[in-house]
Amino acid sequence: PGLERPEGKPAQAEKPPAQEESQQKPTPGQEMRAGRILISPSSLNVAPGGQAVLNLVMIGAKDLKDLTLQLQYPKDLLSVEGTDEGTFFKIGGGTSRFSAQQASPGLLVIRTGREGKSGSSGSGLIARIRFKALKPGQAAISLDSGQGTLFSGETASVPGGSASITVGK
């Protein structure tokens, strides 16, 4: 006797559910589909009272529609003077949205994205951040993994990076 479905029809050869899921969900090696963020430059020196500028650069994105990033920095050594929207979500003439808010001392949250009928692909500037150096020390900047939304509606992590600002005497 063959396998029977509840309707009384013989079962047909199907892909096991695990195979179907593995084809729909990215494997760990495919998680770069949403791209990754680099902080440039990765290190720089500045005098107390001086300005340090870091660029957040998207690398290798595909159909990215929205992005939320959390940038952490030592509040006793640096303060955020301002942020500027990059051009990544404007590629191809798209309309973009951008906000950067101080969520708490030492934590800057950036939300940006693209309006319209397509996501952004490729590489480009997400944001430029201007810091004021407050006092001498070694400031470690970290961009934890961001959260992206692809045009398809899927969510994906976007690996972040780090940078170092040396505030000299």
Side-chain angles (χ1 to χ4, degrees), residues 27-128:
T27 62
Q30 294 173 320
E31 288 180 11
M32 297 300 281
R33 179 176 172 193
R36 62 189 171 104
I37 302 286
L38 296 179
I39 301 177
S40 174
S42 60
S43 67
L44 62 117
N45 298 311
V46 64
Q51 189 178 75
V53 178
L54 295 179
N55 298 301
L56 305 183
V57 181
M58 173 61 72
I59 305 293
K62 183 176 180 193
D63 291 328
L64 189 61
K65 186 164 178 65
D66 294 299
L67 182 62
T68 300
L69 302 171
Q70 294 188 0
L71 186 83
Q72 295 183 22
Y73 61 92
K75 64 182 189 262
D76 58 324
L77 298 178
L78 302 171
S79 67
V80 175
E81 285 194 320
T83 58
D84 298 310
E85 180 180 13
T87 57
F88 177 74
F89 283 107
K90 297 178 181 183
I91 294 172
T95 301
S96 64
R97 61 189 176 286
F98 178 85
S99 73
Q101 296 180 341
Q102 195 77 41
S104 63
L107 178 63
L108 181 69
V109 176
I110 296 171
R111 290 181 177 88
T112 185
R114 180 180 180 104
E115 302 292 336
K117 299 181 180 185
S118 67
S120 291
S121 296
S123 301
L125 182 65
I126 294 291
R128 179 169 289 126

Coordinates of all heavy atoms in Angstrom, one line a residue, residues 27-128:
T27 N 21.6 30.8 3.4 CA 22.5 30.1 4.3 C 23.5 31.1 4.9 O 23.6 32.2 4.4 CB 23.3 29.0 3.5 OG1 24.1 29.6 2.5 CG2 22.4 28.0 2.9
P28 N 24.2 30.7 6.0 CA 25.1 31.7 6.6 C 26.1 32.4 5.6 O 26.4 33.5 5.7 CB 25.9 30.9 7.6 CG 24.9 29.8 8.0 CD 24.2 29.5 6.7
G29 N 26.5 31.7 4.6 CA 27.4 32.3 3.6 C 26.7 33.2 2.6 O 27.3 34.0 2.0
Q30 N 25.4 33.2 2.6 CA 24.6 34.1 1.7 C 24.1 35.3 2.5 O 23.4 36.1 1.9 CB 23.4 33.3 1.1 CG 23.8 32.2 0.2 CD 22.6 31.4 -0.2 OE1 21.7 31.1 0.6 NE2 22.6 31.0 -1.5
E31 N 24.3 35.4 3.8 CA 23.8 36.6 4.5 C 24.3 37.9 4.0 O 23.7 38.9 4.4 CB 24.0 36.4 6.0 CG 23.1 35.3 6.6 CD 23.4 35.1 8.0 OE1 24.1 35.9 8.7 OE2 22.9 34.0 8.6
M32 N 25.3 37.9 3.2 CA 25.9 39.2 2.7 C 24.9 39.8 1.7 O 25.2 40.9 1.2 CB 27.3 39.0 2.2 CG 28.3 38.5 3.2 SD 28.5 39.7 4.5 CE 29.6 40.8 3.7
R33 N 23.9 39.1 1.3 CA 22.9 39.6 0.3 C 22.5 41.1 0.5 O 22.3 41.8 -0.4 CB 21.7 38.7 0.3 CG 20.7 39.1 -0.7 CD 19.6 38.1 -0.8 NE 18.6 38.6 -1.6 CZ 17.4 38.1 -1.7 NH1 17.1 37.1 -1.0 NH2 16.5 38.6 -2.5
A34 N 22.3 41.5 1.8 CA 21.9 42.8 2.1 C 23.1 43.8 2.1 O 23.0 45.0 2.3 CB 21.2 42.9 3.4
G35 N 24.3 43.3 1.9 CA 25.5 44.1 1.9 C 26.2 44.1 3.3 O 25.8 43.4 4.2
R36 N 27.2 45.0 3.4 CA 27.9 45.2 4.7 C 28.3 46.7 4.7 O 28.4 47.4 3.7 CB 29.1 44.3 4.8 CG 30.1 44.5 3.8 CD 31.2 43.4 3.9 NE 32.1 43.4 2.8 CZ 33.3 43.9 2.8 NH1 33.8 44.3 4.0 NH2 34.1 43.9 1.8
I37 N 28.6 47.2 5.9 CA 29.0 48.6 6.1 C 30.4 48.6 6.6 O 30.9 47.9 7.4 CB 28.1 49.2 7.2 CG1 26.6 49.1 6.9 CG2 28.5 50.7 7.5 CD1 26.1 50.1 5.8
L38 N 31.1 49.5 5.9 CA 32.5 49.9 6.3 C 32.5 51.3 6.9 O 31.8 52.1 6.5 CB 33.5 49.8 5.1 CG 33.7 48.5 4.4 CD1 34.6 48.7 3.2 CD2 34.2 47.5 5.3
I39 N 33.4 51.5 7.9 CA 33.6 52.8 8.4 C 34.9 53.3 7.9 O 35.9 52.6 8.0 CB 33.6 52.8 10.0 CG1 32.3 52.3 10.5 CG2 33.8 54.3 10.5 CD1 32.2 52.2 12.0
S40 N 34.9 54.5 7.2 CA 36.1 55.0 6.6 C 36.3 56.5 7.1 O 35.4 57.2 7.1 CB 35.9 54.9 5.1 OG 37.0 55.6 4.5
P41 N 37.5 56.8 7.5 CA 38.7 55.9 7.6 C 38.5 55.1 8.8 O 37.7 55.3 9.7 CB 39.9 56.9 7.8 CG 39.2 58.1 8.4 CD 37.8 58.2 7.8
S42 N 39.3 54.0 8.9 CA 39.2 53.1 10.0 C 40.0 53.6 11.3 O 39.7 53.1 12.4 CB 39.7 51.7 9.6 OG 41.0 51.7 9.3
S43 N 40.9 54.5 11.0 CA 41.5 55.2 12.2 C 42.0 56.6 11.8 O 42.3 56.8 10.6 CB 42.7 54.3 12.7 OG 43.7 54.3 11.7
L44 N 42.0 57.5 12.8 CA 42.5 58.8 12.5 C 42.8 59.5 13.8 O 42.5 59.0 14.9 CB 41.4 59.7 11.7 CG 40.1 59.9 12.4 CD1 39.9 61.4 12.6 CD2 39.0 59.5 11.5
N45 N 43.6 60.5 13.7 CA 44.1 61.3 14.9 C 43.5 62.7 14.8 O 43.4 63.3 13.7 CB 45.6 61.4 14.9 CG 46.3 60.0 15.0 OD1 45.9 59.2 15.8 ND2 47.2 59.7 14.1
V46 N 43.2 63.2 15.9 CA 42.6 64.6 16.0 C 43.0 65.2 17.4 O 43.2 64.5 18.3 CB 41.1 64.5 15.8 CG1 40.4 63.8 16.9 CG2 40.5 65.9 15.6
A47 N 43.1 66.5 17.4 CA 43.5 67.2 18.6 C 42.2 67.5 19.4 O 41.1 67.6 18.8 CB 44.1 68.6 18.3
P48 N 42.3 67.6 20.7 CA 41.1 68.0 21.5 C 40.5 69.3 21.0 O 41.2 70.2 20.6 CB 41.7 68.2 22.9 CG 42.9 67.4 23.0 CD 43.5 67.5 21.6
G49 N 39.2 69.3 20.8 CA 38.5 70.4 20.3 C 38.3 70.3 18.8 O 37.6 71.1 18.2
G50 N 39.1 69.4 18.1 CA 39.0 69.3 16.7 C 37.9 68.4 16.2 O 37.1 67.8 17.0
Q51 N 37.7 68.4 14.9 CA 36.6 67.6 14.3 C 37.2 66.3 13.6 O 38.2 66.4 13.0 CB 35.9 68.5 13.3 CG 34.6 67.8 12.8 CD 33.9 68.7 11.8 OE1 34.3 68.8 10.7 NE2 32.8 69.3 12.3
A52 N 36.4 65.2 13.8 CA 36.7 64.0 13.2 C 35.5 63.6 12.4 O 34.4 63.6 12.8 CB 37.0 62.9 14.2
V53 N 35.8 63.2 11.1 CA 34.7 62.9 10.2 C 34.8 61.4 9.8 O 35.9 61.0 9.3 CB 34.6 63.8 8.9 CG1 33.5 63.4 8.0 CG2 34.5 65.2 9.3
L54 N 33.7 60.6 10.0 CA 33.7 59.2 9.6 C 32.6 59.0 8.5 O 31.5 59.6 8.7 CB 33.4 58.3 10.8 CG 34.5 58.3 11.8 CD1 34.1 57.3 13.0 CD2 35.9 57.8 11.3
N55 N 32.9 58.2 7.6 CA 31.9 57.9 6.5 C 31.4 56.4 6.7 O 32.2 55.5 6.9 CB 32.5 58.0 5.1 CG 33.0 59.4 4.9 OD1 32.2 60.3 4.9 ND2 34.3 59.6 4.6
L56 N 30.1 56.2 6.6 CA 29.5 54.9 6.7 C 29.2 54.5 5.2 O 28.4 55.1 4.6 CB 28.3 54.9 7.5 CG 28.4 55.4 8.9 CD1 27.1 55.2 9.7 CD2 29.5 54.7 9.7
V57 N 29.9 53.5 4.7 CA 29.9 53.1 3.3 C 29.3 51.7 3.2 O 29.7 50.8 3.8 CB 31.3 53.1 2.7 CG1 31.2 52.8 1.2 CG2 31.9 54.5 2.9
M58 N 28.2 51.6 2.3 CA 27.6 50.3 2.0 C 28.4 49.7 0.9 O 28.8 50.3 0.0 CB 26.1 50.6 1.5 CG 25.5 49.3 1.0 SD 25.3 48.0 2.2 CE 24.0 48.7 3.3
I59 N 28.6 48.4 1.1 CA 29.3 47.6 0.1 C 28.5 46.4 -0.3 O 28.0 45.6 0.6 CB 30.7 47.0 0.7 CG1 31.6 48.2 1.2 CG2 31.4 46.2 -0.4 CD1 32.1 49.1 0.2
G60 N 28.2 46.2 -1.6 CA 27.6 45.0 -2.1 C 26.1 44.7 -1.7 O 25.7 43.6 -1.5
A61 N 25.3 45.8 -1.6 CA 23.9 45.6 -1.3 C 23.2 45.1 -2.6 O 23.6 45.4 -3.7 CB 23.3 46.9 -0.8
K62 N 22.0 44.5 -2.4 CA 21.2 44.1 -3.5 C 19.7 44.4 -3.1 O 19.2 43.7 -2.1 CB 21.4 42.6 -3.8 CG 20.5 42.2 -5.0 CD 20.8 40.8 -5.4 CE 19.9 40.5 -6.6 NZ 19.8 39.1 -6.9
D63 N 19.1 45.3 -3.8 CA 17.6 45.6 -3.6 C 17.3 46.0 -2.1 O 16.3 45.6 -1.6 CB 16.7 44.5 -4.0 CG 16.8 44.3 -5.5 OD1 16.9 45.3 -6.2 OD2 16.6 43.1 -6.0
L64 N 18.2 46.8 -1.5 CA 18.0 47.2 -0.1 C 17.0 48.4 -0.1 O 17.2 49.4 -0.8 CB 19.3 47.6 0.5 CG 19.3 47.9 2.0 CD1 18.9 46.6 2.8 CD2 20.7 48.3 2.4
K65 N 16.0 48.3 0.7 CA 14.9 49.4 0.7 C 15.1 50.2 2.0 O 14.9 51.5 1.9 CB 13.6 48.8 0.7 CG 12.4 49.8 0.6 CD 11.2 49.1 0.1 CE 10.0 50.1 0.0 NZ 10.1 51.1 -0.9
D66 N 15.3 49.6 3.1 CA 15.5 50.4 4.4 C 16.6 49.8 5.2 O 17.0 48.7 5.1 CB 14.2 50.1 5.3 CG 13.0 50.7 4.7 OD1 12.9 51.9 4.5 OD2 12.0 50.0 4.4
L67 N 17.2 50.7 6.1 CA 18.3 50.3 6.9 C 18.3 51.1 8.2 O 18.0 52.3 8.2 CB 19.6 50.7 6.1 CG 20.9 50.3 6.7 CD1 21.1 48.8 6.9 CD2 22.1 50.9 5.9
T68 N 18.5 50.3 9.3 CA 18.7 50.9 10.6 C 20.0 50.5 11.2 O 20.4 49.3 11.2 CB 17.5 50.5 11.6 OG1 16.3 50.9 11.0 CG2 17.7 51.1 12.9
L69 N 20.8 51.5 11.6 CA 22.1 51.3 12.1 C 22.3 51.9 13.5 O 21.7 52.9 13.8 CB 23.2 51.9 11.2 CG 23.2 51.5 9.8 CD1 24.2 52.3 9.0 CD2 23.6 50.0 9.7
Q70 N 23.1 51.2 14.4 CA 23.4 51.8 15.7 C 24.9 51.9 15.8 O 25.6 50.9 15.8 CB 22.8 50.8 16.8 CG 21.3 50.8 16.8 CD 20.8 50.0 18.0 OE1 21.5 49.5 18.8 NE2 19.5 49.9 18.0
L71 N 25.3 53.2 16.0 CA 26.7 53.5 16.1 C 27.0 53.9 17.6 O 26.4 54.7 18.1 CB 27.0 54.7 15.2 CG 28.5 55.0 15.1 CD1 29.2 54.1 14.1 CD2 28.7 56.5 14.7
Q72 N 27.9 53.1 18.2 CA 28.3 53.4 19.5 C 29.7 54.1 19.6 O 30.6 53.7 18.8 CB 28.3 52.1 20.3 CG 27.0 51.4 20.4 CD 27.0 50.2 21.3 OE1 27.8 50.0 22.1 NE2 26.0 49.4 21.1
Y73 N 29.8 55.0 20.5 CA 31.1 55.8 20.7 C 31.2 56.2 22.1 O 30.2 56.3 22.9 CB 31.1 57.0 19.7 CG 30.0 58.0 20.0 CD1 30.2 59.0 20.9 CD2 28.8 57.8 19.4 CE1 29.2 59.9 21.2 CE2 27.7 58.7 19.7 CZ 28.0 59.7 20.6 OH 27.0 60.6 20.9
P74 N 32.4 56.4 22.6 CA 32.6 56.9 24.0 C 32.2 58.3 24.2 O 32.9 59.2 23.7 CB 34.1 56.6 24.3 CG 34.7 56.7 22.9 CD 33.7 56.2 21.9
K75 N 31.2 58.5 24.9 CA 30.6 59.9 25.1 C 31.5 60.8 25.9 O 31.4 62.0 25.8 CB 29.2 59.8 25.8 CG 29.3 59.2 27.2 CD 27.9 59.0 27.8 CE 28.0 58.7 29.3 NZ 27.9 57.4 29.7
D76 N 32.4 60.2 26.7 CA 33.4 61.1 27.4 C 34.5 61.7 26.5 O 35.1 62.7 26.9 CB 33.9 60.4 28.6 CG 34.7 59.1 28.2 OD1 34.2 58.4 27.3 OD2 35.7 58.8 28.9
L77 N 34.7 61.0 25.4 CA 35.8 61.5 24.5 C 35.3 62.2 23.2 O 36.0 63.0 22.6 CB 36.6 60.3 24.0 CG 37.4 59.5 25.1 CD1 38.1 58.3 24.5 CD2 38.3 60.4 25.9
L78 N 34.0 61.9 22.8 CA 33.5 62.4 21.5 C 32.1 62.9 21.7 O 31.3 62.3 22.5 CB 33.5 61.3 20.4 CG 34.8 60.7 20.1 CD1 34.6 59.5 19.1 CD2 35.8 61.7 19.4
S79 N 31.7 63.9 21.0 CA 30.3 64.2 20.9 C 29.9 64.4 19.4 O 30.8 64.7 18.6 CB 30.0 65.6 21.6 OG 30.6 66.6 20.9
V80 N 28.7 64.0 19.0 CA 28.3 64.1 17.6 C 27.9 65.6 17.3 O 27.0 66.2 18.0 CB 27.1 63.2 17.3 CG1 26.6 63.4 15.9 CG2 27.5 61.8 17.5
E81 N 28.6 66.2 16.3 CA 28.3 67.6 15.9 C 27.2 67.6 14.8 O 26.5 68.6 14.7 CB 29.6 68.2 15.4 CG 30.5 68.6 16.6 CD 31.6 69.6 16.1 OE1 32.1 69.4 14.9 OE2 31.9 70.5 16.8
G82 N 27.2 66.5 14.0 CA 26.2 66.5 12.9 C 26.3 65.3 12.1 O 27.3 64.5 12.2
T83 N 25.3 65.1 11.3 CA 25.3 63.9 10.4 C 24.8 64.4 9.0 O 24.0 65.4 9.0 CB 24.4 62.8 10.9 OG1 23.0 63.3 11.0 CG2 24.9 62.2 12.1
D84 N 25.2 63.8 8.0 CA 24.8 64.2 6.6 C 24.4 62.9 5.9 O 25.0 61.8 6.0 CB 25.9 64.8 5.8 CG 26.4 66.1 6.4 OD1 25.5 67.0 6.7 OD2 27.6 66.3 6.6
E85 N 23.3 63.0 5.2 CA 22.8 61.8 4.4 C 23.8 61.5 3.3 O 24.3 62.5 2.6 CB 21.4 62.1 3.9 CG 20.9 61.0 3.0 CD 19.5 61.3 2.5 OE1 19.0 62.5 2.6 OE2 18.8 60.4 2.0
G86 N 24.0 60.3 3.0 CA 24.8 59.9 1.9 C 24.0 59.7 0.6 O 22.8 60.1 0.6
T87 N 24.6 59.3 -0.5 CA 23.9 59.2 -1.8 C 23.4 57.8 -2.1 O 22.7 57.6 -3.1 CB 24.9 59.6 -2.9 OG1 26.1 58.8 -2.8 CG2 25.3 61.1 -2.7
F88 N 23.7 56.8 -1.3 CA 23.4 55.4 -1.6 C 21.9 55.2 -2.0 O 21.6 54.6 -3.0 CB 23.8 54.4 -0.5 CG 23.4 53.0 -0.8 CD1 24.2 52.3 -1.7 CD2 22.4 52.4 -0.2 CE1 23.8 51.0 -2.0 CE2 22.0 51.1 -0.5 CZ 22.7 50.4 -1.4
F89 N 21.0 55.7 -1.2 CA 19.6 55.4 -1.5 C 19.0 56.4 -2.5 O 17.9 56.3 -2.9 CB 18.8 55.5 -0.2 CG 18.9 54.3 0.7 CD1 19.6 54.3 1.8 CD2 18.3 53.1 0.3 CE1 19.8 53.1 2.6 CE2 18.4 51.9 1.0 CZ 19.2 51.9 2.2
K90 N 19.9 57.3 -3.1 CA 19.5 58.2 -4.1 C 19.9 57.7 -5.5 O 19.6 58.3 -6.5 CB 20.0 59.6 -3.9 CG 19.4 60.2 -2.6 CD 20.0 61.6 -2.4 CE 19.5 62.2 -1.1 NZ 20.0 63.5 -0.9
I91 N 20.7 56.6 -5.5 CA 21.2 56.0 -6.8 C 20.1 55.8 -7.7 O 19.1 55.2 -7.4 CB 22.0 54.7 -6.5 CG1 23.3 55.0 -5.7 CG2 22.4 54.0 -7.8 CD1 24.0 53.8 -5.2
G92 N 20.3 56.2 -9.0 CA 19.3 56.0 -10.0 C 18.1 57.0 -9.9 O 17.1 56.7 -10.5
G93 N 18.3 58.0 -9.1 CA 17.2 59.0 -9.0 C 16.1 58.7 -8.0 O 15.1 59.4 -8.1
G94 N 16.4 57.8 -7.1 CA 15.4 57.5 -6.1 C 15.2 58.6 -5.1 O 16.0 59.5 -4.9
T95 N 14.0 58.6 -4.5 CA 13.7 59.5 -3.4 C 14.1 58.8 -2.1 O 13.7 57.7 -1.9 CB 12.2 59.9 -3.4 OG1 11.9 60.5 -4.6 CG2 11.9 60.8 -2.2
S96 N 14.8 59.5 -1.2 CA 15.3 58.8 0.0 C 14.7 59.5 1.2 O 14.2 60.6 1.2 CB 16.8 58.8 0.1 OG 17.3 60.2 0.1
R97 N 14.9 58.8 2.4 CA 14.6 59.4 3.7 C 15.7 59.1 4.6 O 16.4 58.1 4.4 CB 13.3 58.9 4.2 CG 13.2 57.4 4.4 CD 11.8 56.9 4.8 NE 11.8 55.5 4.9 CZ 11.9 54.6 3.9 NH1 12.0 55.1 2.6 NH2 11.8 53.3 4.1
F98 N 16.0 60.0 5.6 CA 17.1 59.9 6.4 C 16.9 60.5 7.8 O 16.3 61.6 7.8 CB 18.3 60.6 5.8 CG 19.6 60.6 6.6 CD1 20.5 59.5 6.5 CD2 19.9 61.6 7.4 CE1 21.6 59.5 7.3 CE2 21.1 61.6 8.1 CZ 22.0 60.5 8.1
S99 N 17.2 59.8 8.8 CA 17.2 60.5 10.2 C 18.4 59.9 11.0 O 18.7 58.7 10.8 CB 15.9 60.2 10.9 OG 15.8 58.9 11.3
A100 N 18.9 60.7 11.8 CA 20.0 60.3 12.7 C 19.7 60.9 14.1 O 19.5 62.2 14.2 CB 21.4 60.8 12.2
Q101 N 19.5 60.1 15.1 CA 19.1 60.6 16.4 C 19.9 60.0 17.5 O 20.3 58.9 17.4 CB 17.6 60.2 16.7 CG 16.6 60.9 15.7 CD 15.2 60.5 16.0 OE1 14.9 59.5 16.7 NE2 14.3 61.3 15.5
Q102 N 20.2 60.9 18.5 CA 21.0 60.5 19.6 C 20.0 59.7 20.5 O 19.2 60.3 21.2 CB 21.5 61.7 20.3 CG 22.5 61.5 21.3 CD 23.9 61.2 20.7 OE1 24.2 61.9 19.7 NE2 24.6 60.3 21.2
A103 N 20.1 58.4 20.5 CA 19.1 57.5 21.3 C 19.5 57.6 22.8 O 18.5 57.6 23.6 CB 19.2 56.1 20.8
S104 N 20.7 57.7 23.1 CA 21.2 57.9 24.5 C 22.6 58.4 24.3 O 23.2 58.3 23.2 CB 21.1 56.6 25.2 OG 22.0 55.6 24.7
P105 N 23.2 58.9 25.4 CA 24.6 59.3 25.3 C 25.5 58.2 24.8 O 25.5 57.1 25.4 CB 25.0 59.8 26.7 CG 23.7 60.1 27.3 CD 22.7 59.2 26.7
G106 N 26.3 58.4 23.8 CA 27.1 57.4 23.2 C 26.5 56.5 22.2 O 27.1 55.5 21.8
L107 N 25.2 56.7 21.8 CA 24.5 55.8 20.9 C 23.8 56.7 19.9 O 22.9 57.4 20.2 CB 23.6 54.9 21.6 CG 22.8 54.0 20.7 CD1 23.7 53.0 19.9 CD2 21.7 53.2 21.5
L108 N 24.2 56.6 18.6 CA 23.6 57.3 17.5 C 22.8 56.2 16.7 O 23.4 55.2 16.2 CB 24.6 58.0 16.6 CG 24.1 58.8 15.5 CD1 23.3 60.0 16.0 CD2 25.3 59.2 14.6
V109 N 21.5 56.5 16.4 CA 20.7 55.6 15.6 C 20.4 56.2 14.3 O 19.9 57.4 14.3 CB 19.4 55.2 16.3 CG1 18.5 54.3 15.4 CG2 19.7 54.4 17.6
I110 N 20.7 55.6 13.2 CA 20.5 56.1 11.9 C 19.5 55.2 11.2 O 19.6 54.0 11.1 CB 21.8 56.1 11.1 CG1 22.8 57.0 11.7 CG2 21.6 56.5 9.6 CD1 24.2 57.0 11.2
R111 N 18.4 55.9 10.6 CA 17.4 55.2 9.9 C 17.4 55.9 8.5 O 17.2 57.1 8.4 CB 16.1 55.3 10.6 CG 16.0 54.5 11.8 CD 14.6 54.6 12.5 NE 14.5 53.8 13.6 CZ 14.8 54.2 14.9 NH1 15.3 55.4 15.1 NH2 14.7 53.4 15.9
T112 N 17.5 55.1 7.5 CA 17.5 55.6 6.1 C 16.9 54.6 5.2 O 16.8 53.4 5.5 CB 19.0 56.0 5.7 OG1 19.0 56.6 4.4 CG2 19.9 54.8 5.7
G113 N 16.5 55.1 4.0 CA 15.9 54.1 3.1 C 15.5 54.8 1.8 O 15.8 56.0 1.6
R114 N 14.8 54.1 1.0 CA 14.4 54.5 -0.4 C 12.9 54.4 -0.5 O 12.3 53.3 -0.2 CB 15.2 53.7 -1.4 CG 14.9 54.0 -2.8 CD 15.7 53.0 -3.7 NE 15.5 53.3 -5.1 CZ 16.3 53.9 -5.9 NH1 17.5 54.4 -5.4 NH2 16.0 54.1 -7.1
E115 N 12.3 55.4 -1.1 CA 10.9 55.3 -1.5 C 10.8 54.8 -2.9 O 11.7 54.9 -3.7 CB 10.2 56.7 -1.4 CG 10.3 57.3 -0.1 CD 9.5 56.7 1.0 OE1 8.5 56.0 0.7 OE2 9.9 56.8 2.2
G116 N 9.6 54.2 -3.3 CA 9.4 53.9 -4.7 C 9.3 52.4 -4.9 O 9.1 51.6 -4.0
K117 N 9.5 52.0 -6.2 CA 9.3 50.7 -6.6 C 10.5 49.8 -6.7 O 10.4 48.7 -7.4 CB 8.5 50.7 -8.0 CG 7.2 51.5 -7.9 CD 6.5 51.5 -9.2 CE 5.2 52.2 -9.0 NZ 4.4 52.2 -10.3
S118 N 11.6 50.2 -6.2 CA 12.8 49.4 -6.2 C 13.7 49.7 -5.0 O 13.6 50.8 -4.4 CB 13.6 49.6 -7.5 OG 14.1 50.9 -7.6
G119 N 14.6 48.8 -4.7 CA 15.6 49.0 -3.7 C 16.8 49.5 -4.3 O 17.0 49.6 -5.5
S120 N 17.8 49.8 -3.5 CA 19.1 50.3 -4.0 C 20.1 49.1 -4.0 O 20.1 48.2 -3.1 CB 19.7 51.4 -3.1 OG 18.9 52.5 -3.3
S121 N 20.9 49.1 -5.0 CA 21.9 48.0 -5.1 C 23.3 48.6 -5.3 O 23.4 49.7 -5.8 CB 21.6 47.1 -6.3 OG 20.3 46.4 -6.0
G122 N 24.3 47.8 -5.0 CA 25.7 48.2 -5.2 C 26.3 48.8 -4.0 O 26.1 48.3 -2.9
S123 N 27.2 49.8 -4.2 CA 27.9 50.4 -3.1 C 27.8 51.9 -3.1 O 27.6 52.5 -4.1 CB 29.4 50.0 -3.2 OG 29.5 48.6 -3.2
G124 N 27.9 52.5 -1.9 CA 27.9 54.0 -1.8 C 27.8 54.5 -0.4 O 27.7 53.7 0.5
L125 N 27.8 55.8 -0.3 CA 27.8 56.4 1.0 C 26.5 56.4 1.7 O 25.5 56.9 1.1 CB 28.3 57.9 0.9 CG 28.4 58.7 2.2 CD1 29.5 58.1 3.1 CD2 28.8 60.2 1.8
I126 N 26.4 55.9 2.9 CA 25.1 55.9 3.6 C 25.0 57.2 4.5 O 24.0 57.8 4.5 CB 25.0 54.7 4.6 CG1 25.0 53.4 3.8 CG2 23.9 54.8 5.6 CD1 23.7 53.1 3.1
A127 N 26.1 57.5 5.2 CA 26.0 58.7 6.0 C 27.4 59.2 6.3 O 28.4 58.4 6.3 CB 25.3 58.4 7.3
R128 N 27.5 60.5 6.6 CA 28.8 61.1 7.1 C 28.5 61.6 8.5 O 27.5 62.3 8.7 CB 29.2 62.2 6.2 CG 30.5 62.9 6.6 CD 31.0 63.8 5.5 NE 31.6 62.9 4.4 CZ 31.2 63.0 3.1 NH1 30.3 63.9 2.7 NH2 31.7 62.2 2.3

